[in-house]
Amino acid sequence: MILQTERLILREMTEADFDSLKAVLSDSDIMQHYPYTFDDERVRGWINRNIERNRIFGFGLWAVCLKETGEMIGDCGLTMQMIGNVIKPEIGYHILKSQQRKGFAREAAVAVRDWAFKNTPFNEIYSYMKYTNEPSARCAQSWGCKFVEEFKDDINEITKVYRITRKEWTSIMNLKAYDVSASSFDKKIGALSNYDEAYKYFASFLKTGSKVLDTACGPANISRFINSQVSDLDFTLMDLAPNMLEIASGYLPKAKTVCSNICDFELEEKFDGIINGFGLPYLFPDEADNHFKTVYASLKEGGVYYLSFMNVNSEKYPGKDNYVQEEHPSFNPEVTIRVNYYSQETIVKKLTDLGFELLKKWNLNYKEADGSITTDVVLVLNRR
């Protein structure tokens, strides 16, 4: 066995898979977007090629089997394909007709995607198909791919190409980790009082009726505190994790909720205050730049911006303004997240160059589960 999911096992192919695989590859409906259906010789060649791929590369197309019965219902895996005259890593799949429309292709592809980014150096994974193969295109999009190009070729007439980057995958995995950990995050992180002084300072610039946008709001722990300091604030809570938004709206039922990324959101109204409480560590530098620009554009003149993030460890990573670290967070050690650390000097310069004025800064030491110390940075700025 190589991988298993909730319903599937993915394993290396063997010659004993001939009959099961022939039922898939010789089906004219399944292979309608392929140049031909497979006869016995082509099926055997397909199996042998993937056995050889696994021997040489450590990956290939794997047999997709139902966990409950062991029945092989198709194949899915990672192979190197010539896409537009360049050899690229591609996730492909074929599923038995009787087992289609049950989400098996997506389930298998997600498992292969995660395996590929964890176990290979590839920074991009592709999926390509004939332009008429709309089900395959929808499946590629469902596991995170975005359309990047199409080109003419002799086999497919027109080939469509979809891609997911390592950065996009990291965001997907972080979101998944936070969504499944929403309750434990609320209990552990939401109860911290480390930042109360900074919260009170930010709240001092608000008044009854002020419009406040909480980006990457989580369980709305910051907004809840501010709500206790200033009455009748008009909150908009923004997060990509549905479970976080559900908890947040339970605490602040009058607040508007927006399920959105925090990089380049578009909201009609302007705000008196915008919060980003530790959302920055889950943005890469280009995404962070977009977030700052969007925040500036979304604030009223004189509006205040609360921002917190983790400072770079200059002793461990001298000279770096930013680095990514893989961690098991204290609120759920069973999940893995990938966290961006930023230089506070670099962030302050970016923001002041945009037109923000730094009002106050805090450096707060936070003891991690392993005993190491992380310096949390909290900034309160206003739009000049």
Side-chain angles (χ1 to χ4, degrees):
M1 180 181 68
I2 293 179
L3 296 170
Q4 63 175 319
T5 68
E6 182 181 353
R7 300 179 295 169
L8 301 172
I9 288 174
L10 278 67
R11 58 164 176 78
E12 289 188 27
M13 289 186 192
T14 71
E15 293 180 0
D17 294 321
F18 175 82
D19 289 338
S20 296
L21 193 59
K22 182 181 177 182
V24 177
L25 300 180
S26 66
D27 188 314
S28 58
D29 289 335
I30 296 173
M31 305 299 287
Q32 62 180 295
H33 303 289
Y34 208 78
Y36 45 77
T37 56
F38 281 43
D39 57 18
D40 289 5
E41 183 179 353
R42 282 188 167 126
V43 174
R44 289 193 182 91
W46 191 263
I47 292 172
N48 291 334
R49 278 198 303 279
N50 283 293
I51 291 174
E52 185 71 1
R53 284 167 173 159
N54 273 286
R55 186 184 67 80
I56 296 173
F57 301 114
F59 56 80
L61 288 174
W62 295 318
V64 176
C65 305
L66 296 177
K67 185 183 287 187
E68 189 173 323
T69 64
E71 176 192 1
M72 179 183 177
I73 61 168
D75 62 13
C76 181
L78 184 71
T79 59
M80 304 305 296
Q81 297 289 329
M82 184 69 74
I83 305 176
N85 297 319
V86 179
I87 297 175
K88 298 177 180 180
E90 195 248 0
I91 292 178
Y93 31 78
H94 306 88
I95 299 295
L96 191 66
K97 185 160 58 178
S98 62
Q99 300 293 343
Q100 291 181 0
R101 300 183 181 276
K102 298 179 181 180
F104 288 133
R106 179 188 182 278
E107 189 172 326
V110 165
V112 174
R113 175 202 70 188
D114 295 348
W115 181 92
F117 281 123
K118 291 175 182 176
N119 294 280
T120 75
F122 301 131
N123 289 318
E124 297 175 337
I125 303 292
Y126 291 82
S127 181
Y128 76 115
M129 68 289 297
K130 187 174 182 177
Y131 73 102
T132 54
N133 194 348
E134 294 182 2
S136 185
R138 288 194 298 269
C139 185
Q141 291 171 294
S142 76
W143 53 267
C145 285
K146 297 177 182 177
F147 175 77
V148 288
E149 66 171 329
E150 64 180 32
F151 57 85
K152 294 181 179 180
D153 65 52
D154 294 335
I155 297 176
N156 289 333
E157 298 178 41
I158 298 173
T159 291
K160 288 193 170 185
V161 183
Y162 291 76
R163 178 189 66 197
I164 182 171
T165 66
R166 182 176 292 275
K167 186 171 74 173
E168 291 165 343
W169 171 75
T170 296
S171 297
I172 290 170
M173 298 305 286
N174 280 345
L175 173 61
K176 181 180 177 181
Y178 269 88
D179 204 37
V180 301
S181 308
S183 179
S184 58
F185 182 95
D186 180 33
K187 292 174 183 176
K188 187 171 181 68
I189 306 300
L192 293 176
S193 59
N194 309 38
Y195 316 103
D196 288 3
E197 181 185 340
Y199 297 161
K200 288 178 182 178
Y201 183 76
F202 177 78
S204 70
F205 293 92
L206 304 174
K207 59 185 180 181
T208 298
S210 289
K211 292 182 179 292
V212 179
L213 171 64
D214 192 346
T215 66
C217 67
N221 49 301
I222 300 178
S223 287
R224 282 147 48 191
F225 185 96
I226 293 167
N227 192 51
S228 72
Q229 304 294 302
V230 185
S231 62
D232 296 323
L233 292 172
D234 183 1
F235 285 103
T236 298
L237 307 175
M238 177 181 290
D239 206 294
L240 264 177
N243 289 335
M244 288 290 194
L245 276 180
E246 184 177 355
I247 292 172
S249 61
Y251 285 119
L252 296 172
K254 292 182 180 179
K256 297 182 282 291
T257 57
V258 180
C259 189
S260 169
N261 73 69
I262 66 170
C263 300
D264 49 9
F265 55 87
E266 292 185 14
L267 299 175
E268 292 182 2
E269 55 190 330
K270 301 281 187 178
F271 297 90
D272 301 290
I274 296 180
I275 302 165
N276 180 347
F278 292 105
L280 187 61
Y282 308 101
L283 301 181
F284 287 90
D286 60 325
E287 297 171 326
D289 290 344
N290 286 339
H291 170 75
F292 296 148
K293 292 173 185 175
T294 305
V295 167
Y296 189 83
S298 302
L299 272 174
K300 296 178 182 177
E301 188 174 344
V304 283
Y305 177 38
Y306 175 101
L307 175 68
S308 56
F309 57 95
M310 285 89 84
N311 194 40
V312 295
N313 185 330
S314 56
E315 292 182 3
K316 190 174 180 181
Y317 299 97
K320 282 191 173 289
D321 290 334
N322 162 255
Y323 57 82
V324 181
Q325 194 163 285
E326 192 170 279
E327 301 176 359
H328 297 285
S330 59
F331 56 85
N332 185 356
E334 295 182 2
V335 301
T336 302
I337 57 175
R338 290 155 187 85
V339 180
N340 279 275
Y341 286 72
Y342 285 97
S343 159
Q344 57 184 311
E345 292 80 12
T346 299
I347 294 299
V348 169
K349 185 177 187 307
K350 283 178 179 286
L351 292 169
T352 53
D353 286 349
L354 265 177
F356 285 99
E357 177 186 9
L358 178 62
L359 301 176
K360 197 163 184 179
K361 176 168 74 76
W362 292 259
N363 282 356
L364 304 169
N365 289 336
Y366 179 82
K367 190 173 183 179
E368 302 288 354
D370 63 1
S372 63
I373 300 297
T374 296
T375 299
D376 294 340
V377 181
V378 182
L379 309 176
V380 175
L381 313 98
N382 74 341
R383 173 180 168 160
R384 290 192 294 247

